[in-house]
Every structure is written in structure tokens, then in C-alpha cells.
Amino acid sequence: ARVLERSPAYVSRIFQRELGLSPWEVLIHLRLARAKELLASDRSIIEVALAVGFNDPAYFARAFRKQLGLSPQEFRARVHHATDSNATA
């Protein structure tokens, strides 16, 4: 906003109008995309939440479920099941 010499509210409105999402929604989307990658690892759910910028693991779980329709644990189970099935095929 400073570089554009516009208010943060104005830049946010333009961002939302052009992309259909607020800057905050885009940030959450990017964080959750990275979380999906990390959930395939051995890192704990709490470590994944913190690694992608969520300070509250409960909020991370709610945001994850809201966007993906699964809890982080359910997503991880599906990823591991798919990986196990591919390894035996």
C-alpha cells in the first residue's frame, strides 16, 4: 500500500475485486496448500500448523476442515493410505 501510495483498505478492496478473495483468504489458502505437502511427512500436526504460520493448532484444524472438508488427521490418513496402496501395486 505504501509503495502504491494508497491506503491498505483501498489496496485490499482492489485485490478482492480482481481476485475474488481477500488478501487474508489468499494467505490462508497458500498456508493450507503447504500444510497438505507437510502432512505427508512424519511431522506432527502441531509442527505442521506452526511451520505454515498458524500459532493456534485448533484454528489450523478448523481452517483446514473448512477449506478441504477433512481434518488434518483425516487428510493425513488418506495420503498415507494412497501412498501405501501405490507402493504395493
Side-chain angles (χ1 to χ4, degrees):
R2 205 173 317 135
V3 173
L4 299 173
E5 298 180 359
R6 301 285 186 234
S7 74
Y10 174 79
V11 173
S12 181
R13 278 194 311 274
I14 298 302
F15 190 98
Q16 178 137 7
R17 184 182 74 205
E18 294 300 317
L19 297 179
L21 298 169
S22 72
W24 181 250
E25 290 169 320
V26 170
L27 178 62
I28 296 296
H29 178 78
L30 293 172
R31 286 178 174 177
L32 293 177
R34 178 67 179 138
K36 287 178 3 182
E37 296 171 9
L38 294 176
L39 286 169
S41 73
D42 293 338
R43 295 172 91 168
S44 74
I45 304 291
I46 292 172
E47 288 175 320
V48 170
L50 295 173
V52 298
F54 287 88
N55 294 324
D56 179 357
Y59 178 66
F60 165 70
R62 284 192 308 273
F64 196 95
R65 182 181 290 279
K66 181 179 179 182
Q67 183 170 326
L68 298 164
L70 299 168
S71 71
Q73 294 87 346
E74 292 166 335
F75 179 84
R76 172 175 272 167
R78 286 191 182 187
V79 167
H80 285 289
H81 178 73
T83 303
D84 292 343
S85 295
N86 289 339
T88 57

